[in-house]
Amino acid sequence: RRTAVIDLGQYRRPHGIAFDEASGRVWVTTEQPSQLLSVDPAKRQVLRRYDVQGKAPHIVNLGLGGWAFSSNTDTGTVAAVNTDSGEVRLIPSGARPQGQALSPDRKTMYVANSGESSIAILDLERKTRIATIPTGRAPVRLALLPDGKTLIYALQEGRSVGFADIESRKEIQQVPLAGRPVSISLSRDGRLAYSSVQE
């Protein structure tokens, strides 16, 4: 059952959300206007807003050293936001970046570029793209498997789930689905992947 509502006020169309266990804050992207919000879920209020310097921020993740990373889907960048100072660095990702996956050490990020059928590999310490993995059509969400070597991702226009080997930077397999997948999530033990599918 619903227990409470957090009113975001003028910030509309919330999209991505991440919870920071250390601070207890919730981080939310909004598309109208394009912002990143820091929210106190206990007080149910917005604490601070950040301009992501791009349009249509989607997924957000938290890196090391107080940095948050937002996929600016309509402007082809990932915004690296210093949550203390408010500094923003834009990392070119590719056309229409959406889903993100972090390496276990939170030093590398994998970003699904749905507009060019690729996955960008970002060095989060240097705030730069270091490589690209070609994929099937329109990857939208992705996850890193427990082996730390394999990415699994939803290929929306390919109507399948793809697998890529990080070391060789190649797609190694596709598994056809009955429709267009729009998400990907792993079970706690990483043995199963779940994807919502549109007909």
Side-chain angles (χ1 to χ4, degrees):
R1 63 188 180 88
R2 184 171 72 175
T3 59
V5 175
I6 300 174
D7 187 353
L8 300 181
Q10 64 179 307
Y11 306 106
R12 315 293 292 178
R13 290 179 60 86
H15 200 113
I17 188 168
F19 178 67
D20 181 16
E21 293 186 9
S23 67
R25 294 183 185 180
V26 172
W27 298 87
V28 182
T29 59
T30 61
E31 296 182 339
Q32 294 179 354
S34 294
Q35 301 281 301
L36 173 65
L37 306 180
S38 171
V39 176
D40 184 328
K43 295 181 179 179
R44 300 170 190 168
Q45 65 183 24
V46 176
L47 300 177
R48 186 172 178 180
R49 67 176 183 85
Y50 304 84
D51 183 352
V52 295
Q53 298 183 16
K55 294 183 179 180
H58 270 47
I59 304 305
V60 59
N61 262 302
L62 303 175
L64 299 174
W67 289 89
F69 299 87
S70 168
S71 301
N72 293 337
T73 299
D74 286 357
T75 45
T77 59
V78 170
V81 180
N82 187 303
T83 59
D84 294 324
S85 68
E87 175 190 2
V88 177
R89 300 188 200 176
L90 295 180
I91 308 171
S93 174
R96 298 193 60 76
Q98 294 196 29
Q100 304 173 355
L102 284 171
S103 62
D105 62 7
R106 293 184 173 266
K107 294 181 179 180
T108 304
M109 176 176 282
Y110 308 96
V111 182
N113 295 319
S114 62
E116 65 180 46
S117 298
S118 71
I119 295 170
I121 303 177
L122 308 184
D123 182 323
L124 298 187
E125 293 183 309
R126 293 188 291 162
K127 312 294 186 293
T128 185
R129 180 175 62 182
I130 57 175
T132 303
I133 302 173
T135 68
R137 296 176 59 197
V140 287
R141 298 290 186 271
L142 74 167
L144 179 65
L145 295 185
D147 64 9
K149 302 176 181 179
T150 310
L151 293 167
I152 181 173
Y153 40 90
L155 294 167
Q156 190 171 56
E157 299 305 323
R159 302 172 76 88
S160 61
V161 167
F163 294 83
D165 176 70
I166 293 172
E167 184 176 359
S168 66
R169 296 170 183 169
K170 292 182 178 179
E171 185 171 75
I172 54 177
Q173 186 180 5
Q174 289 186 20
V175 177
L177 300 177
R180 301 166 69 242
V182 294
S183 67
I184 200 83
S185 298
L186 297 180
S187 61
R188 288 184 179 272
D189 61 9
R191 297 179 63 188
L192 295 174
Y194 302 90
S195 180
S196 56
V197 175
Q198 297 174 339
E199 294 295 333

